[in-house]
């Protein structure tokens, strides 16, 4: 429900439904007295009663490092998180982006970890890893099999205490280019990507640390030098400004010994005080605008409010829910339902220093409404709220959503660890979750009205208009505020902060720890099979770690069943099942689901239309009653249809403004031809969707939505008998499946051509290279091909990514992969690259693929592949949705329950000769080449590649 730095959209809380008993370090427990290296036990929170808590023990090292341990032996995994209390909010004016830049630098090796080795070590350990930066914190995390824990502690300690000796100018320059590529890909080159930057500039006074984005300004990145980065690290990356949180299948005392060994000698950094929130006010409405590569304009209205954990944050969250959260909201009723907007929503984003209450909308062109009209509807909706007041359902929805999301958060050890780390960093205690729930439970109707009066009613806001390029007259109102720029202070010559803090050890840190024991034994989910009285096959598994249920009801009908002249019909039909039923309006259904804390959604894919259900088990029968109602009793109202159709058309237009989506779409058409419906966008084309009628939807539903084409996958804490009793809700469903439509012949691939789609002014170019390959086969050549590709383009430290990202700085990320369905498949290599490196990137792609095809894999790469994939199985079946994916493969491809054992045998016995033969065979032959980018800027270098350039439009048609 909340949108904050600590709680995600789903409140991402990972909890145990128990009460807590807290003991402090003043007790005389044996655990406290036996701790190594002067570590002190601060508190121990255990299970007791009915309150909500994640059990943990909290410790502090003499150097100030906070350590939190959570034991969970449900899966043979551990999750390690190091959260530093530093984000872009600690940066100085003119030095934006440093916190995020340093996140990148922390993966470039340290004194005892070689260049580009961090990803390799974690991957080879069977783990996954990443790092993230926001305004207020930077965190680094790994999930690995439990026998790899010591190695992860060693890795994190080495980059905390020994990073700077390994930092070089070359690494600095490459990562500077990588960050620029990331900004280009995620901000400058993305439709609406600069909204938050423009709003931040207008919302905050000059110098406020939230007045720039975490990614920073390009000019600041260009101005930075190596010493700037070193100063930033030495100021903020001390152990006394960090929280180390570890959860999973661990031995607490052994873990503390490792923590003391590797972290204990790292000297504390400078003292760090928590930042102090300051009030942000606006003296008048600030209207701003910018032109963008978008198909629809947008109006965005933002009010300054409070800060995270402020007493008024929770009632403001309830207010935003009433205004713009889903189909029960006023903005949905007054804008989307009435056809004035294709999308309208509200949010209340909260961070450590400040929160923003936001409403936004994109107009429906068919309505004739302008941004000025939408702004007025927003303001009228606020007045309507004032007259309507707060309903009992409003509070019930928010509170039910919080409770449900808390329980869903129990499903992964990563969720629990992340929550403990966040609360420890920002709430001064990891044991905050019950207080979090309590403060929302305590919200009253009067509270919500009070915060509306205090922060929103008659208050000034930033009103941003984003308009298509060349159409400045579409703004909601003329700009009355202009960003004045920034006054950049003169650089300081003081180098006193550059003194290194060097740990003193009595052991050799350069020795990488070995795994502590054999790889953990992974227990595959125990499966059961049954069928409903109507013959619908059911495949289930018991997951008794949480009182939750996840269900996937699949109907074998999809885009490939559409007639070519009605492309988009499958997706629109599925979307109509998310609308009203014969018994209920969509608003009533949405309200019922929200009060259950459940979700039921219908979507169409490349092979199946799927109804996905997520529910607390105690609410399962009520949730399935809604799912049954959606499936069997759709109303197919004309008003709903016209709205869905309009939204689909606008979504297609918007997708054409996205270079990445366009590149992938045109590539797919080249692979499978325009005569196969599945080769087009799932949503279809504008011209085909315009021809679809409500009668077409009804006929498609009547023809294909049959029980004979259905199957159900269920993962729950319920035993089979009780689950089947609940699934009996679908027993009235009937009908025989329709025969599957034949595929049209696939076209020949012409490798002599380069297909170019022009995106004038694009900051990056999107590249797609590939060929048709194998259909999916879990234990055949397809599976072996994925193993073969891992070292080439599948891993982060693959040849392709290391070349284009880490060595050249051309891209934020490059990869290659095999993908396949039951009847077809492909091999693809792709990246979004710097505009001025388009041709060079293409050359490097083909060079890497060609040399791998010719020379094959190295022995080191083979060993890495076998280690990384072989040990990663421990991460594959942790959550209910991971188990759903496992069951889905079994049911879709009629696999034996133990097919993964055969995969492990294949991997174990894989040889260099096997891989080399596959590379020689599967990477040979003609490959298509698609580029989406700024023709004017890249034409000459593309022409120099020697291929015939064929220009296509955004539909993949010749110009």
């Amino acid at each position: 429900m909340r949108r904050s730095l600590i709680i995600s959209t789903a409140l991402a809380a990972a909890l145990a439904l128990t009460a807590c008993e807290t003991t402090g370090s003043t007790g005389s427990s044996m655990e406290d007295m036996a701790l190594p290296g002067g570590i002190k036990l601060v508190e121990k929170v255990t299970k007791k009663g009915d309150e909500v808590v994640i059990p943990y023990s909290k410790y502090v090292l003499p150097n100030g490092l906070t350590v939190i341990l959570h034991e969970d032996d449900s899966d043979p995994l551990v999750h390690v998180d190091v959260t530093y209390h530093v984000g872009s909010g600690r940066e100085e004016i003119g030095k934006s982006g440093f916190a995020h830049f340093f996140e990148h630098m922390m993966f470039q090796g340290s004194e005892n970890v070689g260049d580009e080795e961090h990803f390799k070590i974690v991957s080879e350990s069977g783990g996954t890893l990443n790092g993230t930066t926001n305004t207020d914190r930077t965190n680094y995390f790994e999930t690995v099999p439990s026998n790899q824990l010591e190695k992860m502690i060693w890795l994190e300690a080495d980059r905390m205490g020994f990073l700077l000796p390994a930092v070089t100018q070359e690494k600095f320059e490459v990562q500077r280019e990588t960050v620029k590529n990331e900004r280009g890909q995620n901000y400058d080159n993305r439709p609406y990507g600069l909204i938050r930057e423009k709003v931040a500039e207008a919302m905050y006074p000059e110098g406020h640390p939230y007045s720039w984005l975490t990614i920073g300004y390009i000019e600041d990145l260009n101005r930075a030098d190596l010493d700037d980065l070193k100063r930033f690290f030495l100021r903020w990356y001390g152990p006394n400004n960090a929280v180390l949180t570890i959860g999973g299948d661990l031995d607490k005392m052994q873990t503390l010994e490792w923590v003391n060994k590797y972290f204990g000698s790292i000297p504390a950094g400078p003292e760090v005080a928590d930042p102090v929130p300051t009030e942000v006010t606006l003296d008048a409405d600030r209207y701003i605008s910018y032109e963008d590569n978008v198909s629809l304009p947008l109006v965005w209205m933002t009010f300054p409010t409070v800060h995270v954990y402020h007493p008024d944050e929770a009632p403001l969250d309830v207010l935003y829910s009433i205004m713009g959260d889903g189909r029960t909201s006023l903005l949905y009723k007054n804008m989307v339902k009435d056809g004035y907007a294709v999308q309208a929503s509200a949010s209340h984003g909260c961070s450590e220093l400040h929160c923003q209450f936001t409403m936004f909308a994109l107009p429906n062109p068919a309505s004739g409404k302008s941004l000025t009209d939408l702004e007025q509807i927003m303001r009228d909706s606020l007045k309507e709220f004032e007259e309507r007041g707060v309903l009992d359902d409003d509070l019930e929805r928010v509170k039910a959503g919080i409770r449900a999301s808390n329980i869903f958060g129990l499903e992964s050890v990563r969720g629990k660890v992340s929550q403990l780390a966040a609360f420890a960093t920002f709430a001064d205690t990891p044991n905050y979750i019950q207080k979090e729930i309590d403060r929302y439970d305590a919200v009253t109707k009067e509270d919500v009205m009070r915060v509306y009066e205090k922060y929103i009613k008659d208050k000034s806001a930033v009103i941003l208009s984003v308009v298509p390029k060349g159409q400045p007259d579409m703004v909601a109102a003329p700009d009355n505020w202009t960003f004045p720029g920034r006054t950049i202070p003169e650089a300081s010559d003081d180098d006193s902060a550059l003194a290194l803090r060097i740990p003193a050890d009595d052991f050799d840190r350069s020795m990488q720890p070995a795994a502590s024991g054999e790889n953990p034994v992974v227990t595959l989910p125990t499966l059961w099979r049954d069928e409903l009285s109507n013959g619908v096959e059911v495949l289930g598994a018991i997951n008794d770690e949480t009182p939750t249920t996840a269900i996937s009801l699949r109907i074998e009908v999809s885009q490939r069943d559409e007639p070519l002249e009605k492309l988009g019909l499958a997706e629109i039909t599925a979307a109509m099942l998310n609308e009203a039923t014969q018994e209920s309006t969509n608003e009533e259904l949405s309200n019922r689901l929200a009060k259950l804390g459940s979700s039921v959604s219908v979507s169409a894919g490349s092979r199946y239309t799927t109804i996905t259900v997520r529910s607390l088990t105690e609410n399962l029968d009520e949730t399935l009653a809604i799912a049954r109602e959606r499936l069997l009793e759709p109303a197919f109202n004309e008003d709903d249809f016209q709205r869905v159709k309009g939204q689909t058309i606008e979504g297609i237009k918007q997708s054409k403004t996205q270079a990445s989506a366009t590149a992938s779409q045109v590539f797919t058409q080249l692979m499978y031809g325009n005569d196969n419906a599945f080769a087009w966008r799932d949503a279809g084309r504008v011209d085909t969707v315009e021809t679809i009628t409500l009668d077409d939807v009804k006929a498609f539903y009547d023809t294909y939505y049959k029980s004979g084409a259905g199957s159900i996958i269920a993962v729950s804490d319920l035993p089979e008998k009780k689950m089947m009793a609940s699934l009996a809700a679908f027993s009235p469903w009937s009908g025989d499946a329709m025969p599957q439509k034949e595929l049209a012949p696939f076209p020949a691939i012409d490798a002599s051509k380069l297909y170019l789609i022009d995106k004038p002014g694009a900051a990056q170019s999107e590249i797609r290279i590939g060929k048709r390959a194998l259909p999916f086969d879990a234990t055949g050549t397809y599976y072996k091909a994925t193993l073969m590709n891992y070292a080439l383009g599948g891993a982060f430290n693959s040849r392709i990514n290391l070349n284009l990202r880490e060595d050249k700085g051309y891209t934020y990320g490059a990869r290659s992969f095999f993908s396949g369905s039951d009847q077809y498949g492909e091999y693809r290599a792709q990246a979004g690259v710097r505009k001025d490196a388009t041709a060079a990137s293409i050359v490097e792609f083909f060079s890497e693929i060609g040399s791998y095809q010719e020379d094959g894999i190295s022995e080191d790469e083979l060993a890495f592949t076998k280690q990384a994939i072989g040990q990663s199985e421990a991460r594959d079946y942790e959550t209910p949705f991971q188990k759903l994916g496992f069951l889905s493969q079994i049911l879709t491809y009629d696999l034996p329950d133990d097919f993964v054992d055969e995969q492990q045998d294949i991997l174990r016995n894989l040889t260099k000769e096997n891989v080399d033969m596959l590379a020689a065979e599967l990477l040979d032959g003609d490959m298509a080449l698609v580029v989406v980018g700024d023709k004017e800027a890249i034409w000459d270098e593309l022409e120099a590649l020697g291929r015939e350039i064929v220009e296509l439009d955004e539909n993949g048609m010749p110009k």
Side-chain angles (χ1 to χ4, degrees), residues 631-673:
L631 173 63
L632 300 182
E633 302 175 36
F636 291 132
N637 292 332
E638 182 66 34
D639 288 347
D640 289 342
F641 171 71
Q642 292 299 333
R643 183 178 65 256
V644 167
K645 181 175 175 178
Q647 290 170 335
T648 302
I649 289 172
E650 294 308 320
I652 295 168
K653 291 179 180 177
Q654 183 56 39
S655 71
K656 292 180 181 179
T657 68
Q658 300 171 8
S660 178
T662 299
S664 295
Q665 175 57 50
V666 173
F667 178 84
T668 302
Q669 289 171 232
L670 291 173
M671 291 296 101
Y672 305 113

Side-chain angles (χ1 to χ4, degrees), residues 191-192 293-296 342-343 362 365 559 562 564-572 643-663 665 669 677 680-692 759 953-956:
Y192 310 109
N293 182 28
V294 296
S295 63
L296 282 179
V342 296
Q343 186 179 352
L362 293 89
Q559 187 184 22
E562 301 169 345
L564 287 171
E565 66 274 14
K566 300 287 184 181
L567 293 173
L569 180 56
E571 184 167 294
I572 288 180
R643 183 178 65 256
V644 167
K645 181 175 175 178
Q647 290 170 335
T648 302
I649 289 172
E650 294 308 320
I652 295 168
K653 291 179 180 177
Q654 183 56 39
S655 71
K656 292 180 181 179
T657 68
Q658 300 171 8
S660 178
T662 299
Q665 175 57 50
Q669 289 171 232
W680 295 90
R681 290 179 175 88
D682 289 347
R685 299 196 313 258
V686 171
D687 61 323
T688 60
V689 172
E690 285 175 340
T691 70
I692 295 173
K759 283 286 178 188
D953 64 18
E954 291 166 337
N955 284 320

